[in-house]
Amino acid sequence: MHETAYEITTLTPQHSTPNPGMLPTEIPPGVQMVTLPGGIRTLAYTPQQAPPAPPIPVAQPIPAWAKTTALLTPTIGGGIAAAGIGLSYAAPGLIAMSEALWAAVALIAAAAIGVPMLLRIGRSAAGDGKGSTHITQNITASGMFGKANGTINHH
């Protein structure tokens, strides 16, 4: 290693500056007062000390949730793949079931419309040409909680 040929001193009120007009606060950064081997003191640029090395990062343990997630990922992916394969095999059956359900809906709709019409046709044919029967009911009551009386009239 190379030895320096000067001694670095800090400025204190006892030390005098090489230029009596220069105050210690006026010395620029990186410049210091040095004493040379002959005893002469002067200002000089001094080598900067290397900044301390950044701390070496310490390996952190892996959190439990990350381990669990990493272990579940292939399982979940495999389940999704199996579901996709199952749906591809079930697709023809699902299509047939949907067509059967549409047929059932059509049958229910036809029954909802057709049955009342058949009943109406059957009543008019069973009546043998008679007109329809009208029933009139008249109900009367006196007061809010009074006894109600009624009459039924057949026409």
Side-chain angles (χ1 to χ4, degrees):
M1 193 103 190
H2 186 277
E3 290 189 35
T4 57
Y6 55 86
E7 174 188 340
I8 299 173
T9 59
T10 56
L11 291 177
T12 59
Q14 306 110 340
H15 294 103
S16 61
T17 60
N19 181 354
M22 182 177 249
L23 298 172
T25 57
E26 295 176 343
I27 298 175
V31 176
Q32 291 185 343
M33 174 67 70
V34 295
T35 304
L36 298 175
I40 301 172
R41 290 194 310 224
T42 184
L43 292 176
Y45 288 101
T46 57
Q48 295 292 326
Q49 293 183 356
I56 298 171
V58 178
Q60 298 293 326
I62 297 173
W65 65 266
K67 289 179 184 177
T68 304
T69 304
L71 291 173
L72 286 177
T73 301
T75 306
I76 293 170
I80 292 171
I85 292 169
L87 283 175
S88 69
Y89 282 123
L94 292 174
I95 291 170
M97 269 202 310
S98 71
E99 289 176 2
L101 287 173
W102 280 114
V105 168
L107 180 66
I108 292 169
I113 294 171
V115 169
M117 292 181 82
L118 288 174
L119 290 175
R120 188 173 296 151
I121 291 170
R123 272 195 234 154
S124 63
D128 295 326
K130 290 186 195 177
S132 62
T133 303
H134 294 285
I135 298 174
T136 306
Q137 184 175 7
N138 294 322
I139 300 173
T140 58
S142 60
M144 180 183 267
F145 296 107
K147 184 178 176 184
N149 295 319
T151 58
I152 299 174
N153 299 321
H154 294 278
H155 297 275

